[in-house]
């Protein structure tokens, strides 16, 4: 493989370009993965808009993907010390270069805040080779943590995509327990995944507030107890709806997964006294908001936590969850649309406009398709 066909984001607010990229020399301990599926997520929308700092444009987006190991130089081991072999289907932790030597890694135990961490499809540029999932192949650097996808349906895994490990982290931060009432604000991929994971954790009821209506229907199909259209209900009406369904107290846990600053205030107002709020949707700086520190926070004795990114443990648990057919089946309720590389720009526009819930990039595909599994048994569009 001397060149790799990829969808490239040249600069913020620039159209996606299809380019033939030179394949860099493979380093000892490095690998090349033939990409089967990647995704377009909210992060990619922010990348295209120039909302993130430290992005070395031009880049190949797609920070989570699944594929088969096409080439390994030297040894590549899993966390059990077992070697991978060429042909294995894998995904990988999108974060690379966490130092495990700085204050955040060793003292704070917060590897997602390590200043050395870089992310495939986000902070690796073309100078690093094809380093994103919107490509026929991705070059993984030595030290990248791969995870086996044997026993996992790759299309269902990508329906969870980056949202699933993020949601697992959020539910972990919230300490969701059996029987907890949980409110999820936002019905995009992260909100839907959070509702599913909360249900697996034993939460009841699970109440989703979001829009548009097709996403609310998806939330209920995936296991939410009830869903409310926030566009036709103001803040007080949303809080009243939650209180009526939680014994008049408010929810034990509220997960904010919208990205709208005022949703953080709404989250606090939907939580019960001594409840927990986790903020996972504020990935970029969308501006300020205002709240009453006495009435909304201190008098309620709330525990409010941020949730930034995910680490290997969250990816590991995401893969293990997807190996359980009953649990993985909940993610098949999330409608997916598949796009070939040539239509990556259209996929990005559809996600930005909320015309689709989940956009999947199929580098082998030849046209857009709805739902289904394009690589089941290695068959499907472009196979």
């Amino acid at each position: 493989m001397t060149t790799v066909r990829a969808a490239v984001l040249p600069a913020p607010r620039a159209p996606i370009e299809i380019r033939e990229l030179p394949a860099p020399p493979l380093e000892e301990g490095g690998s090349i993965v033939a990409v089967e599926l990647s995704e377009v997520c909210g992060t990619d929308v922010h990348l295209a808009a120039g909302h993130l700092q430290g992005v070395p444009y031009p880049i190949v987006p797609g920070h989570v993907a699944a594929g088969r190991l096409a080439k390994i130089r030297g040894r590549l081991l899993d966390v059990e010390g077992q070697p991978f072999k060429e042909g294995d289907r894998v995904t990988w932790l999108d974060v690379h270069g966490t130092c495990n030597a700085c204050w955040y890694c060793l003292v704070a135990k917060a590897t997602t805040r390590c200043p050395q961490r870089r992310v495939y499809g986000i902070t690796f540029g073309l100078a690093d080779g094809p380093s994103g999932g919107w490509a026929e192949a991705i070059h993984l650097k030595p030290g990248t943590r791969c995870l086996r996808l044997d026993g996992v349906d790759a299309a269902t895994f990508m329906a969870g995509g980056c949202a699933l490990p993020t949601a697992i982290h959020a539910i972990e931060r919230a300490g969701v327990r059996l029987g907890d009432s949980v409110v999820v604000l936002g019905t995009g991929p992260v909100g839907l995944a959070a509702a599913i994971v909360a249900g697996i954790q034993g939460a009841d009821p699970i109440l989703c507030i979001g829009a548009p209506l097709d996403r609310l229907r998806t939330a209920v199909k995936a296991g939410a107890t009830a869903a409310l259209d926030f566009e036709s209900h103001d803040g007080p009406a949303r809080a009243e709806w939650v209180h009526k369904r939680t014994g008049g107290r408010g929810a034990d846990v509220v997960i904010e997964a919208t990205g709208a600053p005022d949703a953080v205030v709404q989250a606090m107002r939907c939580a019960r006294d001594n409840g927990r709020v986790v903020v996972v949707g504020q990935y970029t700086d969308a501006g300020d908001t205002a709240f009453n520190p006495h009435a909304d926070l201190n008098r309620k004795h709330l525990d409010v936590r941020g949730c930034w990114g995910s680490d290997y443990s969250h990816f590991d648990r995401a893969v293990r969850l997807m190996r359980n057919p009953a649990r993985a089946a909940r993610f098949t309720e999330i409608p997916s649309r598949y796009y070939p590389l040539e239509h990556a720009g259209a996929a990005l526009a559809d996600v930005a406009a909320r015309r689709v819930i989940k956009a999947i990039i199929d580098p082998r595909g030849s046209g857009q398709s709805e739902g289904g599994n394009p690589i089941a048994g290695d068959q499907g569009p472009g196979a």
Side-chain angles (χ1 to χ4, degrees):
M1 184 182 295
T2 58
T3 62
V4 174
R5 194 166 61 103
V8 175
L9 177 61
R13 295 171 294 281
I16 298 293
E17 299 175 0
I18 303 301
R19 299 186 189 179
E20 292 283 342
L21 304 179
L26 196 55
E27 304 164 273
E28 185 72 22
S31 61
I32 294 173
V33 176
V35 176
E36 293 180 320
L37 297 175
S38 188
E39 67 176 344
V40 182
C41 70
T43 297
D44 301 311
V45 174
H46 290 305
L47 285 168
H51 293 163
L52 303 181
Q53 297 180 346
V55 179
Y57 301 98
I59 64 169
V60 178
H63 66 106
V64 171
R68 292 191 183 273
L69 285 163
K71 180 76 173 176
I72 302 171
R73 183 174 180 187
R75 300 187 76 199
L76 180 64
L77 305 178
D78 64 18
V79 292
E80 305 290 345
Q82 299 302 308
F84 289 97
K85 64 181 186 299
E86 292 173 2
D88 285 345
R89 180 176 280 161
V90 297
T91 188
W92 51 92
L93 176 63
D94 57 348
V95 175
H96 179 268
T98 303
C99 71
N100 295 308
C102 70
W103 187 89
Y104 285 102
C105 287
L106 295 181
V107 180
K109 304 296 184 184
T111 58
T112 64
R113 300 306 305 136
C114 174
Q116 303 302 318
R117 70 195 293 270
R118 298 176 71 188
V119 184
Y120 287 105
I122 300 176
T123 52
F124 281 113
L126 289 191
D128 300 293
S131 300
W134 297 9
E136 293 176 325
I138 183 170
H139 175 250
L140 298 183
K141 297 185 175 297
T144 301
R145 288 294 183 185
C146 289
L147 300 94
R148 301 179 190 277
L149 288 182
D150 48 306
V152 176
D153 178 72
T156 306
F157 177 78
M158 289 310 305
C162 69
L164 178 52
T166 301
I168 290 172
H169 192 189
I171 296 300
E172 174 186 85
R173 293 280 286 168
V176 173
R177 299 183 291 260
L178 183 68
D180 274 348
S181 55
V182 173
V183 168
V184 179
L185 303 183
T187 48
V190 173
L192 292 171
I196 292 171
V197 176
I200 291 170
Q201 196 76 358
D204 184 45
I206 301 166
L207 307 173
C208 292
I209 300 177
L213 287 176
D214 63 324
R215 299 189 178 205
L216 300 180
R217 295 188 190 102
T218 297
V220 173
K221 287 181 180 179
T225 309
L228 181 74
D229 183 359
F230 90 95
E231 292 180 332
S232 58
H233 297 79
D234 62 14
R238 296 171 210 155
E240 181 183 5
W241 181 80
V242 170
H243 280 72
K244 282 183 178 179
R245 287 157 179 79
T246 53
R249 292 181 294 274
D252 298 312
V253 171
V254 183
I255 307 290
E256 181 280 317
T258 73
D262 61 355
V264 177
V265 182
Q266 184 77 68
M268 291 191 287
R269 292 174 182 170
C270 287
R272 66 165 170 82
D273 289 2
N274 200 33
R276 289 103 69 198
V277 172
V278 171
V279 178
V280 70
Q282 306 297 313
Y283 187 61
T284 61
D285 186 351
D288 297 334
T289 191
F291 68 96
N292 185 310
H294 170 71
D296 294 325
L297 177 62
N298 202 48
R299 189 178 66 187
K300 295 186 72 171
H301 197 60
L302 286 183
D303 184 350
V304 180
R305 291 186 164 194
C307 181
W308 185 258
S310 50
D311 62 25
Y312 181 88
S313 72
H314 306 118
F315 272 74
D316 183 84
R317 279 181 277 171
V319 171
R320 284 188 281 140
L321 183 156
M322 286 295 185
R323 285 201 179 101
N324 181 304
R327 291 175 175 176
R330 303 189 189 196
F331 288 88
T332 66
E333 299 293 346
I334 299 176
S336 298
R337 182 179 296 175
Y338 295 86
Y339 301 77
L341 278 181
E342 291 78 8
H343 294 180
L348 183 64
D350 285 347
V351 171
R354 298 198 301 174
R355 287 188 288 265
V356 297
I357 297 177
K358 196 72 182 183
I360 305 294
I361 301 295
D362 175 9
R364 303 180 303 164
S366 58
Q368 294 183 24
S369 61
E370 298 282 351
N373 180 354
I375 59 171
D378 291 324
Q379 299 297 316

